[in-house]
């Protein structure tokens, strides 16, 4: 009764440039919480049931892979908008006889808008540079849900940083006298804060986690002394 689909149109504008538009739809099945008191009905009346979640989206973008000023370049750009109905979210409650437990509520509507830009460039033979940036504006557009007979507003949207991105640099150094090659790579990842509860604005305040960043380095020695043995070290 709930089909999933993916329909797209692609246009090869040039040999190195592809334009596309895609529209998708899918769903997540409903069910009931087995770790709860198994009453009829949904969480509105304290029951264990929850409804299916449905979603659809549209995405437009381009992909480029070619030369700019004789330098190899790859670029991908995408923008999208997603609509979700009856989105399933966990609510933590304390029930008589059961104690603390997790139930699933259906929040009426949510919308996620965003874009992603990713690229890679090889300015010289021994150096590769790249990175990406992602923006997501996720929000509940209809957020009022009845929980055990009490009208409750959900928000902000959880588990989704508004900004995230990464960057890398990779240097390849051939060694003398067939000693192999050294490859050094550094990666940086960073994201903004996000919320781990759907109810930060009402009954679960201060449920935000601050943004953070990660730095990774890796050194590879490939084909050591002309052999088929390689070694890596990373931090």
């Amino acid at each position: 009764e709930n089909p999933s689909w993916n329909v797209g149109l692609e246009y090869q504008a040039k040999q190195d440039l592809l334009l596309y538009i895609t529209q998708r739809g899918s769903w997540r099945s409903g069910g009931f919480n087995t770790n709860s008191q198994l009453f009829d009905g949904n969480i509105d009346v304290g029951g264990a049931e929850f409804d299916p979640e449905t979603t659809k989206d549209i995405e437009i973008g381009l992909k480029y892979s070619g030369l700019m000023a004789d330098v190899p370049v790859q670029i991908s750009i995408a923008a999208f908008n997603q609509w979700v109905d009856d989105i399933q979210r966990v609510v933590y409650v304390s029930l008589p006889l059961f104690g603390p437990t997790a139930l699933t509520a259906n929040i009426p509507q949510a919308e996620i808008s965003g874009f992603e830009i990713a690229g890679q460039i090889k300015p010289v033979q021994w150096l590769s540079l790249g990175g990406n940036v992602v923006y997501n504006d996720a929000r509940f557009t209809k957020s009022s849900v009845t929980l055990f007979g009490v009208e409750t507003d959900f928000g902000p949207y959880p588990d989704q940083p508004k900004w995230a991105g990464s960057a890398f640099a990779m240097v390849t150094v051939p060694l003398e006298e067939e000693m192999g090659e050294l490859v050094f790579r550094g990666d940086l990842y960073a994201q903004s804060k996000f919320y781990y509860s759907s109810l930060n604005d009402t009954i679960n305040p201060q449920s935000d986690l601050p943004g953070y960043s990660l730095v990774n380095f890796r050194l590879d020695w490939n084909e050591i002394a002309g052999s088929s043995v390689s070694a890596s070290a990373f931090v």
Side-chain angles (χ1 to χ4, degrees):
E1 295 177 357
N2 289 323
S4 297
W5 68 88
N6 186 339
V7 180
L9 178 65
E10 299 177 353
Y11 173 55
Q12 195 75 42
K14 297 181 180 179
Q15 184 175 354
D16 51 13
L17 178 62
L18 174 74
L19 308 177
Y20 70 90
I21 182 170
T22 303
Q23 200 279 315
R24 293 167 288 241
S26 193
W27 61 283
R28 177 181 294 158
S29 65
F32 56 90
N33 297 285
T34 57
N35 61 334
S36 170
Q37 48 196 14
L38 298 178
F39 295 158
D40 290 338
N42 56 23
I43 200 172
D44 295 10
V45 294
E49 302 172 13
F50 56 92
D51 296 329
E53 171 187 320
T54 59
T55 183
K56 58 183 180 296
D57 80 341
I58 188 167
E59 177 184 338
I60 59 172
L62 65 85
K63 297 180 182 294
Y64 175 84
S65 181
L67 297 176
M68 293 184 179
D70 295 327
V71 175
V73 175
Q74 293 180 342
I75 300 174
S76 297
I77 301 175
F80 65 89
N81 204 80
Q82 180 183 9
W83 299 266
V84 191
D85 292 321
D86 294 321
I87 184 168
Q88 298 169 3
R89 286 295 173 185
V90 173
V91 180
Y92 297 98
V93 295
S94 183
L95 299 176
L97 303 180
F98 272 79
T101 189
L103 299 177
T104 303
N106 291 101
I107 305 170
Q109 289 183 353
E111 189 171 344
I112 304 99
S113 308
F115 65 83
E116 179 174 3
I117 302 173
Q120 184 171 331
I121 186 171
K122 196 175 181 69
V124 290
Q125 188 64 30
W126 52 268
L127 177 64
S128 294
L129 302 170
N132 76 311
V133 61
V134 180
Y135 172 79
N136 277 294
D137 180 17
R139 66 270 187 201
F140 295 121
T141 51
K142 290 186 178 179
S143 60
S144 182
V145 178
T146 301
L147 302 179
F148 299 90
V150 178
E151 199 76 11
T152 305
D153 283 328
F154 279 69
Y157 197 96
D159 305 319
Q160 181 62 70
K162 183 158 286 190
W163 289 97
S166 64
F168 78 88
M170 185 169 66
V171 177
T172 302
V173 182
L175 303 177
E176 296 180 353
E177 299 179 358
E178 298 183 348
M179 292 297 292
E181 68 174 9
L182 291 178
V183 179
F184 179 75
R185 178 171 175 135
D187 288 88
L188 169 66
Y189 171 83
Q191 70 171 51
S192 60
K193 74 173 184 178
F194 67 97
Y195 296 89
Y196 60 85
S197 168
S198 302
L199 293 162
N200 180 83
D201 289 351
T202 51
I203 62 178
N204 284 334
Q206 298 180 336
S207 62
D208 58 311
L209 294 176
Y212 67 90
S213 58
L214 297 172
V215 179
N216 297 297
F217 297 101
R218 180 184 177 101
L219 179 64
D220 296 300
W221 186 4
N222 298 322
E223 300 178 353
I224 299 173
S227 69
S228 59
V229 177
S230 299
S232 301
F234 56 90
V235 61

